[in-house]
Tab-separated table of all heavy atoms in Angstrom:
chain	number	residue	atom	x	y	z
A	28	VAL	N	32.174	-78.780	-15.649
A	28	VAL	CA	32.427	-79.295	-14.315
A	28	VAL	C	33.934	-79.367	-14.124
A	28	VAL	O	34.658	-79.902	-14.969
A	28	VAL	CB	31.791	-80.676	-14.099
A	28	VAL	CG1	32.169	-81.226	-12.724
A	28	VAL	CG2	30.273	-80.581	-14.227
A	29	HIS	N	34.387	-78.829	-13.016
A	29	HIS	CA	35.798	-78.827	-12.674
A	29	HIS	C	36.011	-79.766	-11.504
A	29	HIS	O	35.318	-79.664	-10.489
A	29	HIS	CB	36.246	-77.411	-12.322
A	29	HIS	CG	37.713	-77.267	-12.126
A	29	HIS	ND1	38.250	-76.408	-11.197
A	29	HIS	CD2	38.758	-77.848	-12.751
A	29	HIS	CE1	39.562	-76.481	-11.245
A	29	HIS	NE2	39.895	-77.345	-12.183
A	30	LEU	N	36.958	-80.681	-11.652
A	30	LEU	CA	37.254	-81.672	-10.629
A	30	LEU	C	38.709	-81.540	-10.215
A	30	LEU	O	39.590	-81.468	-11.072
A	30	LEU	CB	36.999	-83.085	-11.151
A	30	LEU	CG	35.613	-83.373	-11.727
A	30	LEU	CD1	35.574	-84.766	-12.341
A	30	LEU	CD2	34.552	-83.238	-10.641
A	31	VAL	N	38.953	-81.518	-8.919
A	31	VAL	CA	40.306	-81.409	-8.385
A	31	VAL	C	40.503	-82.467	-7.323
A	31	VAL	O	39.832	-82.452	-6.290
A	31	VAL	CB	40.573	-80.010	-7.802
A	31	VAL	CG1	41.991	-79.938	-7.242
A	31	VAL	CG2	40.364	-78.939	-8.859
A	32	GLU	N	41.446	-83.374	-7.568
A	32	GLU	CA	41.751	-84.428	-6.611
A	32	GLU	C	42.848	-83.982	-5.657
A	32	GLU	O	43.698	-83.161	-6.000
A	32	GLU	CB	42.211	-85.710	-7.321
A	32	GLU	CG	41.229	-86.268	-8.333
A	32	GLU	CD	41.554	-85.846	-9.750
A	32	GLU	OE1	42.159	-84.767	-9.932
A	32	GLU	OE2	41.211	-86.601	-10.685
A	33	SER	N	42.841	-84.579	-4.477
A	33	SER	CA	43.901	-84.367	-3.510
A	33	SER	C	43.960	-85.570	-2.577
A	33	SER	O	43.063	-86.411	-2.578
A	33	SER	CB	43.685	-83.078	-2.713
A	33	SER	OG	42.481	-83.139	-1.973
A	34	GLY	N	45.003	-85.647	-1.789
A	34	GLY	CA	45.124	-86.679	-0.776
A	34	GLY	C	46.096	-87.793	-1.096
A	34	GLY	O	46.372	-88.632	-0.231
A	35	GLY	N	46.618	-87.840	-2.320
A	35	GLY	CA	47.583	-88.869	-2.661
A	35	GLY	C	48.874	-88.699	-1.877
A	35	GLY	O	49.265	-87.583	-1.534
A	36	ASP	N	49.531	-89.819	-1.615
A	36	ASP	CA	50.747	-89.781	-0.812
A	36	ASP	C	51.509	-91.075	-1.021
A	36	ASP	O	51.056	-91.980	-1.735
A	36	ASP	CB	50.400	-89.594	0.665
A	36	ASP	CG	51.508	-88.953	1.474
A	36	ASP	OD1	52.638	-88.821	0.959
A	36	ASP	OD2	51.252	-88.579	2.634
A	37	SER	N	52.664	-91.162	-0.399
A	37	SER	CA	53.458	-92.375	-0.369
A	37	SER	C	53.272	-93.042	0.985
A	37	SER	O	53.502	-92.408	2.022
A	37	SER	CB	54.933	-92.050	-0.614
A	37	SER	OG	55.722	-93.219	-0.581
A	38	VAL	N	52.829	-94.295	0.978
A	38	VAL	CA	52.550	-95.021	2.208
A	38	VAL	C	53.147	-96.411	2.134
A	38	VAL	O	53.527	-96.890	1.064
A	38	VAL	CB	51.035	-95.127	2.492
A	38	VAL	CG1	50.419	-93.739	2.639
A	38	VAL	CG2	50.337	-95.900	1.383
A	39	GLN	N	53.211	-97.067	3.265
A	39	GLN	CA	53.716	-98.430	3.334
A	39	GLN	C	52.600	-99.440	3.107
A	39	GLN	O	51.410	-99.147	3.281
A	39	GLN	CB	54.386	-98.682	4.684
A	39	GLN	CG	55.651	-97.874	4.912
A	39	GLN	CD	56.322	-98.190	6.228
A	39	GLN	OE1	55.710	-98.758	7.135
A	39	GLN	NE2	57.585	-97.830	6.346
A	40	ASP	N	53.005	-100.625	2.709
A	40	ASP	CA	52.081	-101.747	2.544
A	40	ASP	C	51.207	-101.877	3.791
A	40	ASP	O	51.709	-101.918	4.914
A	40	ASP	CB	52.888	-103.018	2.307
A	40	ASP	CG	52.044	-104.191	1.864
A	40	ASP	OD1	50.802	-104.089	1.854
A	40	ASP	OD2	52.637	-105.238	1.523
A	41	GLY	N	49.891	-101.941	3.588
A	41	GLY	CA	48.955	-102.055	4.686
A	41	GLY	C	48.432	-100.739	5.208
A	41	GLY	O	47.533	-100.734	6.066
A	42	GLY	N	48.943	-99.630	4.709
A	42	GLY	CA	48.522	-98.327	5.165
A	42	GLY	C	47.197	-97.890	4.575
A	42	GLY	O	46.578	-98.586	3.766
A	43	SER	N	46.762	-96.688	4.976
A	43	SER	CA	45.481	-96.141	4.553
A	43	SER	C	45.642	-94.713	4.063
A	43	SER	O	46.524	-93.980	4.510
A	43	SER	CB	44.473	-96.152	5.707
A	43	SER	OG	44.188	-97.470	6.135
A	44	LEU	N	44.769	-94.321	3.150
A	44	LEU	CA	44.685	-92.958	2.658
A	44	LEU	C	43.234	-92.627	2.365
A	44	LEU	O	42.430	-93.520	2.104
A	44	LEU	CB	45.495	-92.765	1.370
A	44	LEU	CG	47.015	-92.742	1.449
A	44	LEU	CD1	47.593	-92.754	0.036
A	44	LEU	CD2	47.499	-91.521	2.213
A	45	ARG	N	42.906	-91.343	2.388
A	45	ARG	CA	41.626	-90.873	1.898
A	45	ARG	C	41.859	-89.843	0.807
A	45	ARG	O	42.462	-88.797	1.057
A	45	ARG	CB	40.756	-90.261	2.999
A	45	ARG	CG	39.329	-89.955	2.509
A	45	ARG	CD	38.442	-89.342	3.566
A	45	ARG	NE	38.759	-87.940	3.803
A	45	ARG	CZ	37.942	-87.078	4.410
A	45	ARG	NH1	36.755	-87.487	4.851
A	45	ARG	NH2	38.323	-85.833	4.596
A	46	LEU	N	41.386	-90.151	-0.389
A	46	LEU	CA	41.451	-89.222	-1.495
A	46	LEU	C	40.191	-88.370	-1.531
A	46	LEU	O	39.102	-88.839	-1.192
A	46	LEU	CB	41.594	-89.965	-2.822
A	46	LEU	CG	42.742	-90.973	-2.930
A	46	LEU	CD1	42.790	-91.545	-4.336
A	46	LEU	CD2	44.066	-90.333	-2.554
A	47	SER	N	40.343	-87.125	-1.966
A	47	SER	CA	39.225	-86.205	-2.074
A	47	SER	C	39.124	-85.671	-3.493
A	47	SER	O	40.138	-85.450	-4.156
A	47	SER	CB	39.391	-85.028	-1.109
A	47	SER	OG	39.439	-85.461	0.237
A	48	CYS	N	37.900	-85.456	-3.948
A	48	CYS	CA	37.624	-84.860	-5.244
A	48	CYS	C	36.649	-83.718	-5.030
A	48	CYS	O	35.499	-83.944	-4.640
A	48	CYS	CB	37.039	-85.899	-6.201
A	48	CYS	SG	36.462	-85.226	-7.777
A	49	ALA	N	37.103	-82.502	-5.270
A	49	ALA	CA	36.264	-81.319	-5.140
A	49	ALA	C	35.647	-80.997	-6.489
A	49	ALA	O	36.360	-80.805	-7.476
A	49	ALA	CB	37.082	-80.141	-4.632
A	50	ALA	N	34.308	-80.942	-6.549
A	50	ALA	CA	33.581	-80.696	-7.785
A	50	ALA	C	32.975	-79.304	-7.774
A	50	ALA	O	32.421	-78.861	-6.761
A	50	ALA	CB	32.488	-81.739	-7.983
A	51	SER	N	33.061	-78.613	-8.899
A	51	SER	CA	32.477	-77.294	-9.031
A	51	SER	C	32.116	-77.049	-10.488
A	51	SER	O	32.514	-77.800	-11.376
A	51	SER	CB	33.441	-76.212	-8.523
A	51	SER	OG	34.633	-76.204	-9.283
A	52	GLY	N	31.367	-75.979	-10.742
A	52	GLY	CA	31.017	-75.605	-12.097
A	52	GLY	C	29.521	-75.574	-12.338
A	52	GLY	O	28.743	-76.219	-11.633
A	53	GLY	N	29.114	-74.849	-13.368
A	53	GLY	CA	27.706	-74.635	-13.647
A	53	GLY	C	26.944	-75.862	-14.096
A	53	GLY	O	25.710	-75.885	-13.990
A	54	SER	N	27.618	-76.880	-14.601
A	54	SER	CA	26.959	-78.080	-15.095
A	54	SER	C	26.944	-79.212	-14.084
A	54	SER	O	26.569	-80.334	-14.423
A	54	SER	CB	27.628	-78.566	-16.384
A	54	SER	OG	27.521	-77.597	-17.404
């Protein structure tokens, strides 16, 4: 299984982010 994260960033106190994890592979 291959996992790739994305969406990290630098934000200010009180801000919002959405992280993503893309999963692939035969298992």
